Amino acid sequence: MKVILLVVAILLIFVLILCILFLLIAKRQNNKKTETDVLNFLKENPSKASLYMIKNGMEKISYNSEVKMPLASTAKVIIAIEFARQVAAKLLDEHELVDLEELNKFYIPGSDGNAHNSWIKWIKSNHKEIQGKITLFEIAHGMLAYSSNANTEFLMEKMGLDEINENINKLSLSLHDKIFPFSSAGFMSPYIQETENIGFKESIQKISEMSYEEYMKKSVEIHQILNRDQGTERIKKWNTKQNYVRKLQVLESRKLPRSTTKEYAYIMKLIHKEELVPSNINPYLKKLIQRQVDNSKLIEFGNKGGSTISVLTEALYCTDREGNDIQLAMFIQDDSGVDHIWLKQKLDLFFYKLLTDTAFQEEVSSKLSCDKGRN
């Protein structure tokens, strides 16, 4: 028996060493990837990717641009638009102070890639906090610049989901799904386990069979429970390791609000060119979405990205020093997760090249143009 156990132990150690070597080799190979590898991924995976780009008011690249795909946090642009509308209409005071504790009702530790804590660290180091309180504007800024899910759900409660979703009609976004509290939806499994007295595996099956309307309705119910729970006891109870099982997270990513890259490039064009109606909302929105440019080739840049375990999204606009205007959106959904890590690392390289290199723009347009008929 001792000999058998020794052999098994040696085999396990050998397998572990092989796994480590494989991961190191894969990491080294991924580090060598460039913007061309991202382009090749798009070309070779038409069912997983979509890209739409406008240059100087004209369509430049259209690749699966009318295929609906999960938005992840890029959907927060619509919430930001409603924030700007309500501030401009004086329904909200951007300087209103909110107790930071109010945001904790919607903060789910470990679920946001440390986004909320990074924002908290920033506001404190930049002296934005006033005796434990923060302005509504900084909360909205944290939603966009740091992608805080807690801030997002607080603003959903503050402004109203119906009011937020009305922007989909106002912007004539015919393919855009209604937005719901998608961070709260991360507790869908424990919620239905508790309310329907079923197990974890059964909850996954139940979620997979839910219609969009039912999933959205239950997400609102969870959001309302969190909003009433002053002591965050429900979060502590529901936030277990089960919530982070890959199969469940991929399923939840599929259930996110969806839209198209064509619609989001259009939204970014409206923001970039300050064409939203009424016109007085544009300055507020620009303050939220525009980023500091530390680059000699660009003079203006604004963006909102998003990511989950299987989704990567980006919507952006820019103006270069020659006066060219670009708006684009790119969505990727890869349930397998095989390419997710390196893509996430290399997308900024791809976008920079695409925004600043005319020759690369033509290469991307040429390589993806054969798929225009797919839209």
Side-chain angles (χ1 to χ4, degrees):
M1 179 61 73
K2 290 183 179 180
V3 174
I4 293 173
L5 290 174
L6 180 62
V7 171
V8 170
I10 292 172
L11 286 174
L12 288 174
I13 293 171
F14 180 70
V15 170
L16 179 61
I17 292 171
L18 284 179
C19 289
I20 293 172
L21 287 174
F22 175 79
L23 290 173
L24 289 173
I25 292 170
K27 184 178 180 180
R28 181 175 295 179
Q29 290 175 335
N30 287 341
N31 287 339
K32 293 180 180 179
K33 291 185 185 295
T34 68
E35 64 275 359
T36 301
D37 292 291
V38 177
L39 174 56
N40 290 337
F41 174 87
L42 299 178
K43 176 67 176 176
E44 295 164 8
N45 295 275
S47 64
K48 298 179 180 180
S50 173
L51 173 64
Y52 192 78
M53 174 174 161
I54 304 166
K55 184 174 183 179
N56 296 329
M58 303 292 291
E59 178 185 291
K60 181 67 178 178
I61 300 168
S62 179
Y63 181 67
N64 300 325
S65 63
E66 294 184 14
V67 176
K68 291 177 66 169
M69 299 180 73
L71 290 164
S73 286
T74 298
K76 293 171 184 176
V77 172
I78 301 295
I79 303 168
I81 291 173
E82 180 58 24
F83 178 82
R85 286 189 193 281
Q86 293 197 17
V87 169
K90 301 192 183 307
L91 299 173
L92 285 181
D93 177 4
E94 64 178 316
H95 303 296
E96 177 187 337
L97 290 172
V98 176
D99 197 316
L100 280 172
E101 290 297 317
E102 282 294 299
L103 303 176
N104 287 339
K105 292 191 296 187
F106 302 110
Y107 172 58
I108 304 172
S111 69
D112 65 352
N114 208 40
H116 187 69
N117 284 334
S118 294
W119 173 69
I120 293 290
K121 184 178 179 180
W122 182 85
I123 62 173
K124 290 186 175 182
S125 63
N126 285 273
H127 310 292
K128 300 292 184 180
E129 181 187 9
I130 303 171
Q131 296 181 338
K133 298 179 184 291
I134 194 73
T135 66
L136 277 180
F137 175 82
E138 291 300 341
I139 290 172
H141 177 261
M143 174 184 71
L144 287 180
Y146 287 84
S147 212
S148 166
N149 290 333
N151 293 17
T152 304
E153 300 240 343
F154 172 84
L155 290 172
M156 286 180 176
E157 182 66 25
K158 183 79 173 176
M159 298 188 299
L161 275 175
D162 289 342
E163 288 76 9
I164 290 168
N165 281 317
E166 185 57 30
N167 287 284
I168 295 171
N169 297 324
K170 290 175 181 176
L171 295 168
S172 300
L173 305 175
S174 61
L175 296 175
H176 201 300
D177 290 338
K178 284 187 176 181
I179 291 171
F180 58 82
F182 43 83
S183 177
S184 291
F187 283 148
M188 188 66 68
S189 174
Y191 176 63
I192 62 176
Q193 285 184 65
E194 185 175 296
T195 56
E196 301 185 23
N197 194 26
I198 59 177
F200 177 64
K201 290 184 179 179
E202 290 80 6
S203 74
I204 293 179
Q205 182 63 31
K206 182 83 174 180
I207 292 169
S208 68
E209 294 171 354
M210 281 184 190
S211 67
Y212 191 80
E213 290 72 21
E214 184 181 4
Y215 191 80
M216 182 167 55
K217 180 176 179 291
K218 289 187 181 296
S219 299
V220 172
E221 291 172 4
I222 297 167
H223 170 87
Q224 290 169 344
I225 290 171
L226 299 184
N227 187 46
R228 293 193 299 265
D229 184 14
Q230 295 294 333
T232 67
E233 293 304 315
R234 193 68 63 151
I235 289 176
K236 294 171 185 175
K237 180 181 179 181
W238 283 346
N239 195 28
T240 67
K241 290 181 179 180
Q242 279 187 343
N243 276 3
Y244 303 96
V245 171
R246 179 178 177 81
K247 183 178 181 180
L248 176 59
Q249 288 197 299
V250 170
L251 175 59
E252 290 171 343
S253 294
R254 291 196 211 112
K255 294 284 187 178
L256 288 167
R258 299 174 302 154
S259 182
T260 68
T261 53
K262 192 169 188 176
E263 288 191 329
Y264 266 76
Y266 164 72
I267 294 170
M268 299 311 283
K269 181 176 181 292
L270 293 179
I271 297 171
H272 188 192
K273 306 306 290 182
E274 300 191 12
E275 295 172 348
L276 286 163
V277 178
S279 60
N280 61 344
I281 75 174
N282 290 295
Y284 292 108
L285 195 54
K286 271 284 186 78
K287 283 199 300 181
L288 290 170
I289 206 165
Q290 195 144 294
R291 307 288 168 246
Q292 184 175 348
V293 178
D294 296 319
N295 186 289
S296 59
K297 293 187 177 182
L298 301 178
I299 59 173
E300 189 177 25
F301 179 80
N303 79 309
K304 182 69 194 87
S307 67
T308 72
I309 199 168
S310 58
V311 171
L312 294 169
T313 60
E314 184 78 22
L316 61 82
Y317 66 77
C318 74
T319 302
D320 66 22
R321 292 201 173 275
E322 283 70 50
N324 295 301
D325 291 333
I326 291 175
Q327 303 88 30
L328 69 79
M330 187 166 83
F331 301 162
I332 294 172
Q333 182 181 8
D334 180 17
D335 290 353
S336 71
V338 172
D339 299 287
H340 189 84
I341 294 176
W342 76 263
L343 280 169
K344 192 173 183 179
Q345 294 172 343
K346 300 299 178 179
L347 281 185
D348 284 349
L349 189 65
F350 174 81
F351 288 131
Y352 177 72
K353 189 80 168 178
L354 187 59
L355 297 177
T356 61
D357 190 321
T358 303
F360 189 64
Q361 289 174 13
E362 296 302 325
E363 181 183 357
V364 174
S365 178
S366 175
K367 279 197 172 184
L368 302 183
S369 63
C370 62
D371 291 271
K372 271 193 175 183
R374 199 185 301 264
N375 298 332

